[in-house]
Amino acid sequence: MERFLYAKAFDPQRRSPSGEYFCEDPRDYHVAVAGSLLGITLHPGVSFPVGKVDMLSLRPMDFREFLLALGKNNLVESLDHGDWNVLTGIHSMMVELLRQYYFVGGMPEAVNLYVATNDPIEVRKVQQNILLAYRDDISKHAPTNEAMRIGQVWKSIPSQLAKENKKFIFSAVRSGARAKDFELAIQWLIDSGLVYKVNRISKPTLPLSFYEDMNVFKLFVLDCGLLGAMSETPPSRMLLGSDVFEEYKGAFTENFVQCQLATIPDMRICYYTNENSTLEIDFVVQLDDRIIPIEAKAEISTQAKSFKQFLSDNPSLKGIRLSMLPYRDQERLVNYPLYSLPFSFSK
């Protein structure tokens, strides 16, 4: 049996009793290290054991893992196999489970508590504690003036996502603010894994990286459950009725889609607007040699002139619409239910 040693932090200068570096003596231990990403990425004057570490990126649980945690293995199997006949028959159940995921999110402690107690009030307390821990971690590792700016950017994200135009606006953080005032704060949030930055592209052509505008972007929170806690959206509004899907201008839906797309290996995620910003595509992704435009709709109504015009202007592309409608292939456009993410990209 393999032996593992779990540690909270790793210091390559810390020696074992024999006087050798721990990573070299003894070799029969597998060391699993977990700690503050802010501490690793941002803390000055700390060395790193280059060449001696395999890095693993851990994200909040996606919708598939949430279903597995709930014991819905049969539903996961249907999604894995794209069994749309079965899924269409249980569409209402899947939408209800998706609503629960919007509220709980994928933070393991929140999911574990929800599975054990089904108590939304206790789940929200866990989410709030996580947010407090993030705030304390930022205060610990960032200079005072930068910590304040990081906090300002972080707090502004829910209100920015609730706008029709979700492009990040610096003046919405602080009146008169400019990009240079908050560039470092945003980068810290990205490096710490707390936010996703999605850049605008000027042209949907391979490779997308050639056409990215680094100065125009959207910011999304790492977890839809934490977004609900940050925005102080009452649990009842998210768990009952259709408010979470139909209101808030699709903020939760776009954040959900971004978080699910982020779990797909080697996918570059951007969004598109034309020169005068009269046409916007929620997401344009590159997966292998494919460019895929994606429209994310929070409800059943799927009328979108921009998306149709975009596909008409780019006849070589086939689009994906994510909505509350069941699966339907319309030649140039495939409608996938939101709950099929990220399964739909494996088909």
Side-chain angles (χ1 to χ4, degrees):
M1 176 180 290
E2 292 184 330
R3 292 186 291 172
F4 289 85
L5 179 66
Y6 294 88
K8 287 190 66 178
F10 180 72
D11 181 355
Q13 300 302 319
R14 185 175 181 179
R15 299 176 182 274
S16 66
S18 64
E20 298 294 331
Y21 290 114
F22 186 81
C23 60
E24 297 175 358
D25 180 24
R27 288 180 175 273
D28 56 337
Y29 280 101
H30 298 266
V31 183
V33 182
S36 167
L37 186 58
L38 283 174
I40 293 173
T41 306
L42 305 174
H43 198 283
V46 176
S47 60
F48 186 81
V50 176
K52 301 180 184 297
V53 175
D54 291 324
M55 303 295 291
L56 296 176
S57 296
L58 297 180
R59 304 180 189 277
M61 298 166 66
D62 62 20
F63 184 57
R64 182 183 192 277
E65 293 166 325
F66 178 72
L67 291 177
L68 290 173
L70 291 176
K72 308 293 185 180
N73 300 51
N74 57 328
L75 300 183
V76 171
E77 185 175 350
S78 295
L79 286 164
D80 280 339
H81 290 90
D83 194 342
W84 302 115
N85 290 329
V86 171
L87 292 168
T88 299
I90 57 172
H91 182 73
S92 297
M93 178 197 301
M94 297 303 299
V95 171
E96 173 59 31
L97 290 167
L98 180 62
R99 180 184 290 110
Q100 293 175 33
Y101 181 77
Y102 271 37
F103 169 70
V104 178
M107 301 303 285
E109 186 178 359
V111 174
N112 185 59
L113 186 62
Y114 186 71
V115 171
T117 68
N118 196 34
D119 188 335
I121 302 302
E122 293 302 313
V123 170
R124 178 53 59 84
K125 288 179 182 178
V126 166
Q127 293 167 339
Q128 290 169 337
N129 286 337
I130 292 172
L131 294 175
L132 288 173
Y134 286 159
R135 185 191 66 183
D136 292 343
D137 213 19
I138 291 169
S139 299
K140 175 182 177 181
H141 295 289
T144 302
N145 61 330
E146 209 57 56
M148 180 179 68
R149 292 174 181 171
I150 293 170
Q152 289 175 321
V153 172
W154 177 246
K155 291 177 182 178
S156 79
I157 294 177
S159 62
Q160 302 236 20
L161 288 176
K163 293 180 171 59
E164 198 70 45
N165 179 3
K166 296 175 177 57
K167 179 183 76 172
F168 188 83
I169 305 295
F170 288 95
S171 61
V173 180
R174 190 180 66 200
S175 179
R178 293 175 293 178
K180 68 176 184 179
D181 298 325
F182 289 96
E183 284 178 336
L184 185 56
I186 290 173
Q187 192 59 50
W188 278 26
L189 286 169
I190 295 169
D191 290 343
S192 67
L194 297 184
V195 303
Y196 295 111
K197 182 185 180 187
V198 177
N199 294 320
R200 183 179 68 177
I201 55 167
S202 59
K203 189 176 181 180
T205 303
L206 288 169
L208 289 183
S209 59
F210 282 11
Y211 303 97
E212 286 185 80
D213 183 347
M214 300 298 182
N215 297 315
V216 183
F217 55 88
K218 302 176 185 178
L219 291 183
F220 295 97
V221 179
L222 80 158
D223 178 67
C224 55
L226 292 183
L227 176 61
M230 290 172 67
S231 61
E232 300 179 354
T233 305
S236 60
R237 296 294 293 271
M238 301 187 72
L239 290 169
L240 302 175
S242 57
D243 287 350
V244 70
F245 299 129
E246 296 177 359
E247 295 184 6
Y248 314 114
K249 297 183 174 63
F252 287 108
T253 294
E254 282 200 34
N255 204 93
F256 165 79
V257 170
Q258 164 59 36
C259 291
Q260 304 308 295
L261 293 177
T263 67
I264 301 173
D266 302 319
M267 174 178 279
R268 179 171 288 274
I269 307 169
C270 304
Y271 81 103
Y272 171 83
T273 61
N274 58 4
E275 291 184 359
N276 54 9
S277 298
T278 58
L279 185 154
E280 178 173 330
I281 305 302
D282 298 326
F283 298 95
V284 179
V285 304
Q286 178 181 332
L287 185 61
D288 300 323
D289 61 349
R290 292 186 294 160
I291 299 292
I292 308 170
I294 300 172
E295 179 187 38
K297 301 293 287 185
E299 49 201 77
I300 294 177
S301 174
T302 56
Q303 298 300 318
K305 294 180 180 179
S306 291
F307 201 53
K308 291 180 180 179
Q309 184 61 51
F310 181 84
L311 292 176
S312 177
D313 294 340
N314 298 274
S316 64
L317 301 182
K318 184 170 183 175
I320 286 179
R321 175 187 289 139
L322 298 164
S323 73
M324 285 303 163
L325 291 174
Y327 171 82
R328 184 173 58 178
D329 193 335
Q330 300 172 268
E331 296 185 2
R332 294 287 314 287
L333 173 66
V334 181
N335 188 94
Y336 286 102
L338 277 163
Y339 55 74
S340 73
L341 268 176
F343 306 88
S344 48
F345 284 89
S346 63
K347 305 295 179 285

